[in-house]
Amino acid sequence: MKLITCNSNRELAKDVASYLDARLTEADVQTFADNEVFVRINENVRGHDVFLIQSTSAPANDHLMELLITCDALVRASARRITAVIPYFGYARQDRKTDGRTPISAKLVANLIHKAGADRVLTVDLHAGQIQGFFDIPTDNLIAGPVFVQDIKEKYGSKDVMVVSPDVGGVVRARALADRLNCDLAIVDKRRPKAGVSEVMNIIGDVKDRACIMVDDMTDSGGTLCNAADAMLNAGAKSVSAYVTHGVLSPGAAARIDKSRLKELVCTDSIAASEEVANAKKIRRVSISHLIGEAVRRVANEESVSKLFDY
């Protein structure tokens, strides 16, 4: 087995390697003066089972090209099998036609990864589960729920806790977490006038005197979480926290979170933290390196990965 990484999230790749008691394969992933990507694998990978760890986070296009070109380099270096480990799968929000003459970019990216030479994909909390069907190769979609459950039990216990879905689309995810914590579920009903802008309309469920924990797959601007926190606190909630798998957190989002009435935002390290996010007072990160590392180990040993979905 060989582990290799590009430039999007080297710290997570190092932590995965540490979990597996392995080391990262030496490789140069650089850019020319005109920003063309150049890749050179500095070790023999012929006949090896290679796991390429790379999130397609911002700058999404650069990191996607690094992933594709590294896949091509591994194919031409005669790797036996290439598994693209993509902790955060970018372009996942464009998973369907929402209007006339718009693309389904998630399908396009899935095709590119396959054509570049990947034999299978390992990812975490896709924005929509059906994106697995966009790939014509085996795809494992891990869930960060077990990591969140452990952290919530340690920080909050179970007394007066209520899990909240910040929108109707995330009810299945929130219900699974609520069942594992053996607590109640509430739903925030909202509408989105335009992309990146949300307005809370109503709260389904009694949040009065409850420690509310919102759970979602990603947050970008943080507007949805902040608006929902205001609505729940106005409805009598004791406190409001949020657990989000992918902290996209575009510029200005961390400051918005710090100024909000949220108690804290907990996200995983699927995306490398910017300086703004790292310095934010209300943002805390938990690691999924052991989750990914265990999945990599199981895939390499041809063992079942399904146990990692059961929480």
Side-chain angles (χ1 to χ4, degrees):
M1 180 178 68
K2 293 276 190 179
L3 297 176
I4 189 170
T5 187
C6 299
N7 294 320
S8 72
N9 200 338
R10 287 189 173 273
E11 288 304 315
L12 176 60
K14 290 177 182 178
D15 290 343
V16 171
S18 177
Y19 176 88
L20 294 168
D21 194 21
R23 66 177 184 84
L24 294 174
T25 299
E26 293 185 8
D28 295 326
V29 183
Q30 303 171 351
T31 56
F32 292 117
D34 62 352
N35 288 327
E36 287 185 4
V37 175
F38 167 75
V39 174
R40 178 172 54 220
I41 313 298
N42 294 326
E43 297 181 25
N44 177 33
V45 296
R46 182 181 296 272
H48 284 79
D49 194 2
V50 180
F51 292 84
L52 170 56
I53 304 172
Q54 172 81 339
S55 286
T56 52
S57 50
N61 297 333
D62 291 348
H63 289 156
L64 177 59
M65 285 304 299
E66 288 180 3
L67 173 66
L68 299 176
I69 293 174
T70 304
C71 276
D72 186 73
L74 291 168
V75 169
R76 297 177 190 279
S78 301
R80 179 173 62 86
R81 182 175 66 174
I82 302 166
T83 300
V85 182
I86 311 173
Y88 169 67
F89 181 76
Y91 285 101
R93 285 173 284 186
Q94 301 177 47
D95 61 337
R96 64 194 186 281
K97 284 178 69 71
T98 56
D99 205 347
R101 298 173 297 281
T102 57
I104 304 179
S105 304
K107 172 59 175 172
L108 172 62
V109 172
N111 287 343
L112 289 170
I113 293 170
H114 181 199
K115 293 299 183 181
D119 297 297
R120 67 182 301 127
V121 168
L122 181 65
T123 187
V124 182
D125 274 336
L126 286 169
H127 186 58
Q130 61 267 24
I131 293 176
Q132 294 175 79
F134 291 177
F135 288 92
D136 295 325
I137 51 180
T139 303
D140 293 310
N141 181 29
L142 303 177
I143 50 179
V147 179
F148 289 162
V149 166
Q150 181 179 353
D151 190 81
I152 291 169
K153 286 183 175 180
E154 291 175 358
K155 299 294 182 180
Y156 296 89
S158 58
K159 186 177 180 181
D160 297 329
V161 168
M162 173 176 271
V163 172
V164 181
S165 174
D167 54 37
V168 175
V171 171
V172 173
R173 180 184 298 105
R175 182 182 292 118
L177 192 69
D179 288 346
R180 188 69 176 95
L181 293 170
N182 193 27
C183 65
D184 295 329
L185 174 69
I187 304 169
V188 176
D189 175 34
K190 65 168 185 166
R191 64 182 176 89
R192 190 181 295 274
K194 59 181 180 180
V197 178
S198 65
E199 179 182 342
V200 174
M201 298 297 290
N202 193 23
I203 298 175
I204 304 171
D206 185 8
V207 298
K208 185 175 177 60
D209 297 325
R210 307 297 292 271
C212 295
I213 297 176
M214 287 185 287
V215 58
D216 209 349
D217 66 307
M218 71 170 67
T219 182
D220 188 346
S221 67
T224 293
L225 299 181
C226 294
N227 291 343
D230 288 340
M232 283 183 277
L233 289 169
N234 292 339
K238 184 166 59 176
S239 66
V240 181
S241 302
Y243 279 73
V244 176
T245 304
H246 307 298
V248 178
L249 297 170
S250 50
R256 183 177 294 109
I257 296 294
D258 274 350
K259 294 177 182 178
S260 74
R261 299 166 71 188
L262 276 170
K263 180 179 179 180
E264 68 172 350
L265 167 64
V266 181
C267 58
T268 75
D269 54 355
S270 63
I271 297 174
S274 65
E275 183 177 354
E276 180 186 17
V277 171
N279 293 331
K281 297 178 181 179
K282 289 188 177 182
I283 298 177
R284 180 165 61 87
R285 286 155 57 82
V286 294
S287 181
I288 53 172
S289 58
H290 59 288
L291 177 68
I292 295 175
E294 181 60 21
V296 167
R297 187 192 68 77
R298 288 170 177 268
V299 170
N301 293 337
E302 303 293 347
E303 298 176 8
S304 172
V305 181
S306 60
K307 184 178 180 181
L308 300 178
F309 304 131
D310 181 18
Y311 75 103

